[in-house]
Amino acid sequence: MKKYYKLRLGAGFFSFLIDKRAFFISCILLGITCLIFMLSTGIGEVFITPINVLKTLFGFGTEMDELFIYSFRLPRIIIALLVGISLAVAGAILQGLIRNPLASPDIIGITGGGAVGVVCFLMLFSDRNNSLIVSVKWMPVAAFIGATIVGILVYFLSWKNGSSSVRLVLIGIGLSMLAQSLTTLFMVKGPIYQASQANVWITGTVYGATWEQVRILLPVVLILLIISLISVRNVNIQELGDELATGVGSLVQRNRFFLLLLGTALTGASVAFAGVIGFVGLMAPHMARRMVGSSFGALLPVSALLGAILVMLADLIGRTLFSPLEVPAGVFTAAIGAPYFIYLLYKTRNS
């Protein structure tokens, strides 16, 4: 029985082999993603039935349903979806690049760099009355810059006649610890109100998401996903090791730097709008690898869907389980991810 579908586009100019198992699993996960999307849209302080949700989405809902769905729920659900996809794909790229299932944006310090950028922004641009002297819209830019700086530092500090996977992990863990220390220092030095605001953001939440944020994040994520799909071959070659990758004609160091920047950009985009939602970039690719194997062409869509499911589900639980209080989504991803990380460490030690 054949394991692949042959897909040809542009009169045969583009051809693809689609893994049947990966395609089947992707369809199931897509259905689960749509189901959680619908449930999140309808569940809240005011319950809206799935039928009324569909009517509203197609323009036939009541004015009250449209208010709750379009004004309050859809923006945060879409942001959670995009953030989950970004973190999962970034984690898949970094794990393939470093050839280590324990690698993820938060483990090697990239998300920590984004957090440092935010607390620096809140500390530097707050006046004595705890008010920002610049627009809060610049805060995502600060997060993106912080994440990018750490990503570049990880690469160049690990350089010694080339950048090895082991040094990338070790330098990344060291910079992650440094980022956490700087974040705590800046929060202590900053105004109390801004420190508490930063603390909620650092925990990871999509509360307060707006359509303006969706309009910014959506095209960024789509462009980066397209670039990630184009880079499938480079990630697969990186997993062969430096010697074999060089032997097949790959520019190992250049591709490694590019892939690291790609993972950093995906992480920075998500951190900028949702804070530090931890462990998604670790769990989603690892679960996807157990489902469809390590080929990046199959791993990428499955990881993306799993990441979207994890963040949307965490946000749904956070805003409904303890209602009227809202618990940040990052609390639930950390509650799942920390034991999962310990399990991976234990499994790695005994393998």
Side-chain angles (χ1 to χ4, degrees):
M1 182 179 177
K2 294 182 179 180
K3 293 179 60 178
Y4 300 95
Y5 294 111
K6 292 181 180 179
L7 179 64
R8 298 182 183 276
L9 301 174
F13 187 76
F14 296 100
S15 62
F16 304 92
L17 288 176
I18 300 177
D19 188 294
K20 289 184 177 181
R21 175 181 171 83
F23 180 76
F24 178 71
I25 291 175
S26 297
C27 290
I28 293 175
L29 292 175
L30 181 61
I32 295 174
T33 302
C34 293
L35 177 63
I36 296 176
F37 188 94
M38 293 293 297
L39 289 174
S40 297
T41 306
I43 296 177
E45 292 186 5
V46 176
F47 178 74
I48 303 174
T49 64
I51 298 297
N52 288 336
V53 169
L54 286 174
K55 287 182 178 179
T56 304
L57 293 177
F58 284 101
F60 301 103
T62 64
E63 186 176 340
M64 185 62 68
D65 288 346
E66 289 182 354
L67 174 65
F68 277 100
I69 290 176
Y70 286 108
S71 298
F72 302 129
R73 295 179 185 172
L74 267 187
R76 69 183 296 168
I77 295 170
I78 295 174
I79 290 291
L81 173 76
L82 295 174
V83 166
I85 290 173
S86 298
L87 290 174
V89 173
I93 291 173
L94 292 174
Q95 287 179 13
L97 172 67
I98 299 174
R99 303 193 303 277
N100 190 326
L102 301 179
S104 68
D106 41 333
I107 299 299
I108 68 170
I110 296 175
T111 52
V116 172
V118 168
V119 294
C120 279
F121 173 83
L122 293 174
M123 184 185 73
L124 295 174
F125 297 105
S126 296
D127 59 20
R128 294 181 179 179
N129 297 319
N130 293 330
S131 300
L132 287 174
I133 58 177
V134 298
S135 174
V136 73
K137 295 178 181 179
W138 288 99
M139 190 166 72
V141 178
F144 185 82
I145 292 173
T148 303
I149 290 174
V150 171
I152 294 173
L153 282 175
V154 168
Y155 183 83
F156 283 105
L157 290 178
S158 63
W159 182 277
K160 184 180 180 182
N161 298 322
S163 179
S164 73
S165 301
V166 175
R167 288 198 298 271
L168 279 171
V169 173
L170 295 177
I171 293 295
I173 292 174
L175 287 176
S176 178
M177 297 298 103
L178 177 61
Q180 290 182 21
S181 300
L182 290 175
T183 299
T184 303
L185 175 64
F186 292 145
M187 288 175 64
V188 171
K189 295 290 289 184
I192 294 177
Y193 171 76
Q194 299 296 351
S196 61
Q197 180 184 1
N199 189 51
V200 173
W201 183 88
I202 288 170
T203 305
T205 180
V206 292
Y207 175 78
T210 64
W211 283 110
E212 182 180 3
Q213 293 177 343
V214 173
R215 284 191 291 269
I216 296 172
L217 186 60
L218 180 59
V220 171
V221 172
L222 287 177
I223 292 170
L224 293 175
L225 280 178
I226 292 171
I227 297 173
S228 300
L229 284 170
I230 296 172
S231 304
V232 164
R233 181 175 176 272
N234 289 332
V235 179
N236 286 331
I237 291 176
Q238 288 282 332
E239 291 188 324
L240 296 175
D242 291 1
E243 293 182 2
L244 286 176
T246 302
V248 298
S250 174
L251 301 174
V252 176
Q253 299 304 329
R254 190 189 71 177
N255 291 336
R256 181 170 292 162
F257 182 62
F258 170 76
L259 290 170
L260 182 61
L261 286 182
L262 180 59
T264 300
L266 284 162
T267 305
S270 64
V271 170
F273 291 98
V276 184
I277 298 181
F279 292 104
V280 175
L282 173 72
M283 292 187 293
H286 194 269
M287 291 188 290
R289 191 172 289 105
R290 304 193 72 167
M291 291 180 179
V292 297
S294 59
S295 177
F296 194 67
L299 186 68
L300 179 68
V302 175
S303 296
L305 290 169
L306 285 171
I309 289 170
L310 285 171
V311 178
M312 286 197 301
L313 196 58
D315 179 57
L316 174 61
I317 295 172
R319 65 183 174 85
T320 58
L321 190 61
F322 300 99
S323 181
L325 297 176
E326 287 206 15
V327 180
V331 172
F332 293 98
T333 59
I336 300 171
Y340 194 79
F341 183 62
I342 294 171
Y343 161 75
L344 289 180
L345 285 172
Y346 177 79
K347 185 178 178 182
T348 302
R349 187 191 67 177
N350 290 281
S351 61

